[in-house]
Amino acid sequence: MSTPTASLPSPAPAPAPGRSLAAWWQAMPLTTVFVLFFLIPLALILMVSFWDFNEYELLPGFTLKNYFSIFEGCGNTSDLCVTFKTYLSTFKFSFLVWLITLVTGFAVSYFLAFHVRSQGVQTLLFVLCTIPFWTSNVIRMISWVPLLGRNGLVNQSLAGLGVVNQPIEWLLFSDFSVVLAFVHLYTMFMIVPIFNSMMRIDRNLIEAASDSGASAWQTLWNVIVPLSRTGIIIGSIFVITIVMGDFVTIGVMGGQQIASIGKIIQVQTSYLQFPLAAANAVILLALVLMIIWALTRMVDIRKEL
Amino acid sequence: MNSDKRTAGFWFLAAFFALFVLFLYGPMFVIVVLSFQGPEGGLTFPLRGVSLHWFYKLAEGLGVVDIGTALRRSLGLGLAVMAFTVVLSVLAGLAFRKKLAGANTLFFVVVASLIMPSIIVSLGIGLEFRLLDTGIKKVLEVFGMTGTLEGYGTALGLFTSALGAHLTWTLPFGLLIMFAVFNRFNPAYEEAARDLGATPWQGFRHVVLPLIAPSVVGIGMFGFTLSWDEIARTSQAIGDVNTLPLELQGLTTTVTTPSIYALGTVTTVVSLLVMALALGLAWWLDRRQKKGTR
């Protein structure tokens, strides 16, 4: 199967005159879907974030009330306000998950791309890594319960070996289990683009490096890492944006005890506080866009050097 | 690296890879095993007997949740998403091969949709349809259609808002696959067909489509399985009804019997079946097409 990362196709050689109208009609249905279900909704979020509301309806108008109420108490330096605390916790999860998935994804891709010699075996192992992506995330989350729970396999084994007297409580419904589940669910998003980049590296470059006397580490750091950069950045963008907006994984694996921005938005919509939720969404979106912008800048800056 | 002797690095990475695969599949395997427990079984090991007890329990329903209805809803939505994803992705893929005004903008929007936090898309679509409801009710009021007004519920639903929400997630995958396909596609076949007097439709139907058919099946599989397991984009955009993954998410906090593992086993089997069917079909189409060209 083809990997879901590709660049724009090179324009068809000299398109026949009059074909651009046909192209317009062919792109029309897809464009309509994204206008109706992506662009208009985003515009509405921005609009409604400035609206007022009461218990049962939205009140059109213009107010900054929602934004003020999100940052209420945030001027206080001695004690962090709820919003900042939530963002800090979300950043912490993003960073940890990003770091772990990056290292794991890079190592797995490197093994597949440079150590597995037979192309058939390579494809097989790659597909093996991607299959779990197609099964339900919630199922994959709760599959940790029999392992990490109070009477789970890990605790039973540790108790059996006499390592612990009491079951370890922090294994499940904790920061640990949240990070573990994220890594379990989303390392694939790192593997696919990084593997894709690595497969495009000209193998002669590596031979040249080793002929010039570079050690394996030097080749890795000076040749392979820079050339896998695009894949690393794409994978990082995926993982970071997923974790930043997540509310399902943090909810299920955190035992509904850990706050996240996504969760705040979800709770607010369930109380029909749409303008508040919209304002939160706008702030989250701005942050995510800033992170993506910074990441893509990193690519371009190095390309220019 | 090209030396014949395996280095220490190879063995270290091979071990790491093996551990990673174990990490990916181990927990899944555990819940499949635990779902076949006897009636005495609990959420953790040891395994107490072997039976289909928890699958029967699942079929009877879990508390207030109607699993059968949710399953049929998810199947229906998945099939609709699959059909739309295939048709729209192939059409757009063809469009991108030609001179298309705004091609870069459209590509940017599609990629933006892929990396947009799902909760934001979901909230936006939910809002859109709620505002639409308000608008429709106003219009009905103005025209004095009180009967229709009282009967009117909401425009939010499985095949309106939820379908749209799923498409914002499946279409980017579909389009990227089409790009990958057409990057490797040799236009000489089409030109030959055109030179022989084929209309654009004939060229597509008899030349292009058979060549891209295996990938099109792949797009269908992406569409169905992504929709089948989708939660985040559906959560705010579906209204009063629930799909299977949404029910499942709710059940994680309330159900404390292995029947939730049985449900996990069932949904996983459906995902894997769809994948196996798609891969088999793609392989068959590929083989048939190769036979034809030989």
Side-chain angles (χ1 to χ4, degrees):
Chain A
M1 181 153 347
S2 41
T3 51
T5 42
S7 48
L8 269 168
S10 44
R19 299 279 299 275
S20 56
L21 190 69
W24 189 81
W25 278 110
Q26 283 167 339
M28 198 60 207
L30 181 114
T31 312
T32 312
V33 168
F34 282 100
V35 169
L36 279 183
F37 296 104
F38 186 65
L39 295 180
I40 294 179
L42 286 185
L44 289 177
I45 287 181
L46 187 64
M47 183 179 84
V48 171
S49 74
F50 296 109
W51 282 14
D52 205 350
F53 63 98
N54 59 28
E55 283 91 36
Y56 46 90
E57 65 177 342
L58 303 174
L59 307 169
F62 181 86
T63 171
L64 291 172
K65 208 173 85 172
N66 304 308
Y67 289 94
F68 281 129
S69 88
I70 288 170
F71 291 110
E72 210 177 337
C74 289
N76 193 344
T77 43
S78 59
D79 198 24
L80 276 178
C81 61
V82 180
T83 306
F84 281 177
K85 265 187 197 154
T86 313
Y87 270 107
L88 265 184
S89 142
T90 311
F91 283 138
K92 180 188 74 187
F93 283 124
S94 298
F95 178 74
L96 281 175
V97 173
W98 171 74
L99 197 65
I100 299 171
T101 53
L102 177 62
V103 172
T104 314
F106 191 87
V108 167
S109 307
Y110 182 80
F111 174 72
L112 288 178
F114 295 109
H115 278 304
V116 179
R117 289 164 198 181
S118 142
Q119 217 198 334
V121 176
Q122 198 177 48
T123 312
L124 187 80
L125 293 181
F126 180 76
V127 170
L128 194 69
C129 290
T130 51
I131 286 175
F133 173 66
W134 304 111
T135 59
S136 168
N137 282 357
V138 175
I139 297 297
R140 294 176 68 197
M141 286 172 213
I142 61 167
S143 67
W144 285 104
V145 172
L147 295 175
L148 301 179
R150 205 163 182 282
N151 300 308
L153 209 54
V154 173
N155 270 324
Q156 281 175 10
S157 313
L158 289 178
L161 290 169
V163 182
V164 293
N165 299 325
Q166 280 177 335
I168 307 172
E169 299 281 356
W170 54 261
L171 287 176
L172 194 60
F173 304 140
S174 59
D175 288 6
F176 170 77
S177 59
V178 171
V179 173
L180 189 75
F182 272 129
V183 172
H184 190 219
L185 294 172
Y186 300 122
T187 303
M188 204 279 304
F189 279 114
M190 279 289 191
I191 295 177
V192 174
I194 295 178
F195 179 73
N196 205 30
S197 294
M198 283 181 176
M199 291 308 283
R200 289 172 189 209
I201 297 175
D202 188 344
R203 296 302 188 268
N204 291 330
L205 290 175
I206 291 153
E207 206 148 315
S210 87
D211 286 351
S212 315
S215 70
W217 277 111
Q218 284 173 324
T219 313
L220 181 72
W221 191 247
N222 296 315
V223 180
I224 296 173
V225 170
L227 289 175
S228 315
R229 194 182 49 213
T230 315
I232 292 173
I233 299 289
I234 293 174
S236 302
I237 289 176
F238 270 118
V239 169
I240 292 172
T241 51
I242 286 173
V243 180
M244 287 293 289
D246 178 86
F247 65 98
V248 181
T249 314
I250 288 181
V252 172
M253 295 311 285
Q256 312 292 341
Q257 296 299 310
I258 299 171
S260 80
I261 301 304
K263 199 147 182 56
I264 288 180
I265 296 174
Q266 188 217 5
V267 169
Q268 284 169 342
T269 53
S270 67
Y271 290 114
L272 302 180
Q273 299 167 327
F274 286 103
L276 262 180
N280 266 311
V282 169
I283 295 167
L284 171 64
L285 185 57
L287 272 169
V288 168
L289 286 178
M290 266 154 59
I291 294 173
I292 294 176
W293 179 78
L295 282 170
T296 47
R297 286 282 298 191
M298 254 152 63
V299 182
D300 287 334
I301 285 170
R302 291 224 195 134
K303 233 176 215 167
E304 281 160 18
L305 286 175
Chain B
M1 216 152 297
N2 291 323
S3 63
D4 283 308
K5 214 165 151 259
R6 299 292 200 195
T7 58
F10 168 82
W11 292 111
F12 174 75
L13 282 172
F16 184 84
F17 183 80
L19 277 177
F20 178 69
V21 172
L22 190 71
F23 169 72
L24 279 185
Y25 287 86
M28 287 290 298
F29 183 69
V30 166
I31 68 156
V32 171
V33 169
L34 286 177
S35 66
F36 288 100
Q37 290 198 91
E40 303 294 304
L43 282 178
T44 54
F45 282 106
L47 202 63
R48 294 194 182 87
V50 176
S51 75
L52 291 176
H53 177 81
W54 299 106
F55 288 91
Y56 289 119
K57 280 274 168 213
L58 179 68
E60 286 167 20
L62 299 173
V64 289
V65 177
D66 188 350
I67 296 295
T69 313
L71 187 126
R72 275 191 295 279
R73 265 188 218 130
S74 277
L75 271 178
L77 182 59
L79 289 173
V81 170
M82 180 175 85
F84 275 101
T85 307
V86 166
V87 174
L88 269 53
S89 303
V90 171
L91 278 176
L94 291 171
F96 270 97
R97 298 174 70 207
K98 296 169 193 150
K99 216 174 129 186
L100 179 65
N104 279 328
T105 313
L106 182 59
F107 179 72
F108 175 77
V109 169
V110 171
V111 170
S113 172
L114 186 63
I115 59 181
M116 180 71 54
S118 294
I119 181 79
I120 296 182
V121 181
S122 192
L123 170 68
I125 296 174
L127 262 177
E128 181 183 35
F129 278 76
R130 268 164 227 276
L131 293 173
L132 188 69
D133 282 347
T134 315
I136 291 175
K137 280 177 188 162
K138 281 245 169 70
V139 170
L140 289 177
E141 221 171 311
V142 167
F143 287 97
M145 298 154 84
T146 43
T148 332
L149 185 63
E150 271 162 31
Y152 183 79
T154 172
L156 281 162
L158 205 55
F159 293 105
T160 54
S161 49
L163 177 66
H166 281 203
L167 287 176
T168 62
W169 177 231
T170 60
L171 284 175
F173 285 95
L175 192 65
L176 288 175
I177 296 176
M178 286 312 297
F179 284 173
V181 170
F182 282 131
N183 263 340
R184 289 175 311 197
F185 191 83
N186 185 354
Y189 294 115
E190 269 176 297
E191 276 159 34
R194 212 180 303 143
D195 290 347
L196 291 171
T199 63
W201 168 248
Q202 285 172 324
F204 174 75
R205 171 68 190 82
H206 297 291
V207 178
V208 180
L209 190 59
L211 284 170
I212 65 170
S215 308
V216 172
V217 172
I219 293 175
M221 182 200 83
F222 267 70
F224 183 88
T225 49
L226 287 174
S227 162
W228 173 251
D229 294 326
E230 166 56 38
I231 293 177
R233 295 211 176 196
T234 331
S235 60
Q236 316 301 321
I238 195 165
D240 304 329
V241 295
N242 270 344
T243 57
L244 198 58
L246 283 172
E247 297 285 15
L248 187 59
Q249 191 207 349
L251 290 173
T252 57
T253 50
T254 53
V255 175
T256 50
T257 64
S259 45
I260 191 162
Y261 296 155
L263 182 55
T265 305
V266 171
T267 59
T268 304
V269 166
V270 171
S271 291
L272 295 180
L273 268 182
V274 171
M275 278 170 59
L277 267 176
L279 290 176
L281 187 61
W283 176 79
W284 179 76
L285 285 167
D286 193 44
R287 212 182 54 144
R288 202 179 67 144
Q289 180 249 315
K290 278 202 182 107
K291 234 184 226 165
T293 52
R294 215 168 271 153

